[in-house]
Amino acid sequence: MNAAVAEKKSTLTLDKKSTAVEPAAQTAADDVPANSLQIAIEKFDAEIKEKLTSVIENLAPGNASSFSPSVIKEISKIENRKNRLIAGRLERLLREGNPEAKEIVDRLLAIAI
């Protein structure tokens, strides 16, 4: 299988016109990262939910000292990783010239103003 990949790479560098990817093949290739992106986001969300439920279970009524601020920092780090993952995917789609990604960015910029 590695030989087939090496052959494909060599033909890509030699003749770009003959190795043009069809639109149907592009959408199939984009679905794989999108699915892995969705799975990664779900993992981050599950991790956040797990931390929140453990904090809620450990809280004692009327006892503020049972709350640990370090959990908030951990949740914030998870949210940052999740946001970076989403932003990286959006950036890659923009570099590829994806019109849907450009539309999303235009909407976000309109909201910020």
Side-chain angles (χ1 to χ4, degrees), residues 31-72:
D31 288 343
V32 174
N35 290 338
S36 63
L37 176 72
Q38 186 64 33
I39 291 169
I41 290 172
E42 289 172 0
K43 285 181 184 178
F44 285 137
D45 289 339
E47 192 175 344
I48 290 170
K49 186 176 180 178
E50 177 185 324
K51 296 225 182 265
L52 287 175
T53 54
S54 69
V55 167
I56 291 170
E57 290 172 355
N58 293 333
L59 281 178
N63 187 3
S65 64
S66 65
F67 176 74
S68 174
S70 66
V71 175
I72 301 300

Side-chain angles (χ1 to χ4, degrees), residues 8 12 16-27 29:
K8 191 172 188 179
L12 285 174
K16 292 182 181 179
K17 290 182 181 179
S18 65
T19 59
V21 179
E22 296 176 6
Q26 284 179 340
T27 57

Side-chain angles (χ1 to χ4, degrees), residues 90 94 98-113:
L90 187 60
L94 283 171
N98 188 316
E100 293 172 355
K102 183 168 177 17
E103 183 180 332
I104 291 170
V105 170
D106 290 342
R107 286 184 185 177
L108 290 172
L109 290 175
I111 292 171
I113 294 174

